[in-house]
Amino acid sequence: MHVAKEILLEVFGFQAFRGPQQAVVEHVGAGGDALVLMPTGGGKSLCYQIPAIARQRAGQGTTVVISPLIALMHDQVGALHEAGVSAAFLNSTLSMDEAAQIERQMVRGELTLLYAAPERVTTARFLAQLDAMQQRGKLSLFAIDEVHCVSQWGHDFRPEYRALTVLHERYPSVPRVALTATADAQTREDIVERLQLQDARTFVSSFDRPNIRYTIVEKNDATAQLLRFIRGEHDGDAGIVYCQSRKRVEEIAQTLCQQGFDALPYHAGLDATVRQKNQDRFLRDEGVVMVATIAFGMGIDKPDVRFVAHLDMPKNIEAYYQETGRAGRDATAADAWMAYGLQDVVNQRRMIDESPAGDDFKQVMRGKLDALLGLAEATDCRRVRLLLYFGESYSGLSRDGVAACGNCDNCLFPPEVWDATDAARKLLSTIYRVQQSSGISFGAGHIMDIVRGKATEKVMQHGHLELSTFGIGAAFSEQQLRAVLRQLVAVDAVAVDAQAFNTLRLTQASRAVLRGEMLVQLRDAVAPPALGKGRPRAGSGRTPAVARAPLPLDSAAQLRYAALREWRAEVARSHNLPAYVIFHDTTLAAIAQRAPHSLDDLQGISGIGARKLEAYGDAVLQVLGT
Ligand code: ADP
Ligand code: ZN
């Protein structure tokens, strides 16, 4: 058997590599540089951990992992210890003595993996230690995680990452593996250039996450919609709710708590210790809902996050995909749910316009936003569009000869599409006439009132009762007109002037619609589909939902599963680690299903490596009463 496969099975208890893992591991293990692009949850960690183990076994010393996430290093290293791998981190949470001891181990090349943040790695002190390691032939490999942080096109730009070029310049013979879940071409080119990875081999895996179901609903009462979604689909599940502002995070977290959910806030305005405490609870406890700004989530490798909800739209598809990708890393069913409305479009446009960046940069950002708007407005398969954005064509199921995934809202509940061109023209000509007659622009509410023929005070005051377009769209509901407007703004056929009370103006593209050269197709929003037919549903009372196993289990196996989870919770507590670091739900469910009677029976279950079998095998059998 190949060394890499052997390590995969022995250390991690996994039977097979995923996607390009094996190719990466072999290339890097043999000393090549690599740039690895895999979606969140795709399995990037093994791409450097297995070469690190293989090279250490061959006497080549320590792999230095550069990770931006000090707060997560403890758990990452804890997970490696559980698998029997010698690893440590160096960061500000250690005492001087602890740090000194780890530095000694590192310099002697005794550790297999050493985690540190870029700020530390590029200090004179750390570089001197790396020099010493290299002199002894014990500097094995550099793994640069979350490498998109080096690029301003990525969404987590960290200037410290730029200084990492020193690694290549100072240690040209030490191989580097750089990893990210951000795959757009611009960011990729930037990474290669910034870190001088021109000679690295690039490995790209499929970006499809088939177990994630994508849903984008029209926003009307976001809080109520969110509550309905969580109650209906994910009672008792762990999830993340993303909001734009700190204030909104606080409000939503509070509302969820009032409704009986175990929800916590997370944003950059919170005290660092509170943030850390909330993050730990999310990772360690069952069924916590984290309500957060985008400050939360990078590097979170909790495998059983069952949903990611967006109450506000992110700024581009990369961000959306990375955030939603945090759901369902354990490859069992999970939801990516977003509520989206006109205000989202307006806000995102305004943030770009008002940013101090140069025009070129703004132009790129606008293009990226437009791609996300296209996804939100789409009436065809969301997954096909997402993958296309990442340069991948979907080869899955097909409906009427059209590529379709069968696991997004548009595939599951094909929307009725109506031709909204007429409504669009009525709105546009009203905007035009109002501007002509009054010499100033007005906002969406007023324009819709005129189109629908509502003689409000403001309409009368400005003499808009006399306009030829007054009441021409009386047949449309306000919700319909709002949807039309949103799409017009999304395709830039209406501009919203943020500097002037969000008033509406015509644009270049308005003419195409007015002349009938551009059709406006809209989903019928009257009855947004209910989701999740046939899934077990919790009642309306908030008795904590019983944990759903990721496998279908008979009732005896259910009992075994519950007992195993209880046992795991205790072990995790005493090791001060999240439960999934001991065993994943999927592993416990597989054990429960197999009903093992001996250590031999436990062998070959995914997630049980040699060390875990030795450490926990007997205890597991005891829990099962065998
Ligand atoms: P990423 O860093 O790319 O987001 P991770 O490295 O955290 O993803 O892996 C995601 C999950 O998939 C982890 O729980 C990991 O244990 C699991 N995993 C990775 N590779 C394999 C494999 N070859 N077989 C089974 N499980 C795997
Ligand atoms: Zn689909």
Side-chain angles (χ1 to χ4, degrees), residues 380-384 403-412:
D380 52 5
C381 177
R382 311 253 191 220
R383 190 179 312 273
V384 168
C405 76
N407 196 27
C408 72
D409 52 354
N410 288 346
C411 282
L412 289 165

